Amino acid sequence: MTTSQKHRDFVAEPMGEKAVNSLAGIGDVLGKKLEDKGFDKAYVVLGQFLVLKKDEDLFREWLKDTCGANAKQSRDCYGCLREWCDAFL
């Protein structure tokens, strides 16, 4: 699977206070929808990812229900968080 530059940039360093739209698959529109629901930082979305026990189906369904992410967007975001966790947790 090839990854975007955004994905590679995200997984290359600790998350810190990165904005939610710094996650692969999350642009300005989805980022705003997530922010409106309290998911304003990438680490808050990571928290949900971990609560769902890193389960791909559950996380992608949650992302679709929460902000309307399509299949590619949810797959990109899941892959980004999974790879970040493999590197930093």
Side-chain angles (χ1 to χ4, degrees), residues 15 23 39 42-60 62-63 74-75 77-86 89:
M15 195 174 300
L23 288 161
F39 296 90
Y43 70 79
V44 183
V45 177
L46 172 66
Q48 184 65 28
F49 177 79
L50 296 173
V51 165
L52 296 172
K53 300 182 179 179
K54 304 182 195 175
D55 182 278
E56 181 173 5
D57 293 334
L58 290 175
F59 179 76
R60 290 179 63 188
W62 171 82
L63 207 55
S74 66
R75 183 173 53 250
C77 188
Y78 171 82
C80 183
L81 286 172
R82 186 193 65 229
E83 187 173 327
W84 187 91
C85 285
D86 289 347
L89 290 185

Side-chain angles (χ1 to χ4, degrees), residues 4 10-11 15 22 24 27 31 35 40-41 48 58 71 79 82-83:
S4 66
F10 188 86
V11 301
M15 195 174 300
S22 66
E35 286 175 13
D40 58 331
K41 300 285 186 189
Q48 184 65 28
L58 290 175
R82 186 193 65 229
E83 187 173 327

Side-chain angles (χ1 to χ4, degrees), residues 1-21:
M1 176 175 107
T2 59
T3 57
S4 66
Q5 185 63 48
K6 188 174 182 181
H7 173 110
R8 291 187 296 276
D9 289 347
F10 188 86
V11 301
E13 61 188 14
M15 195 174 300
E17 294 287 322
K18 289 183 181 179
V20 68
N21 63 2

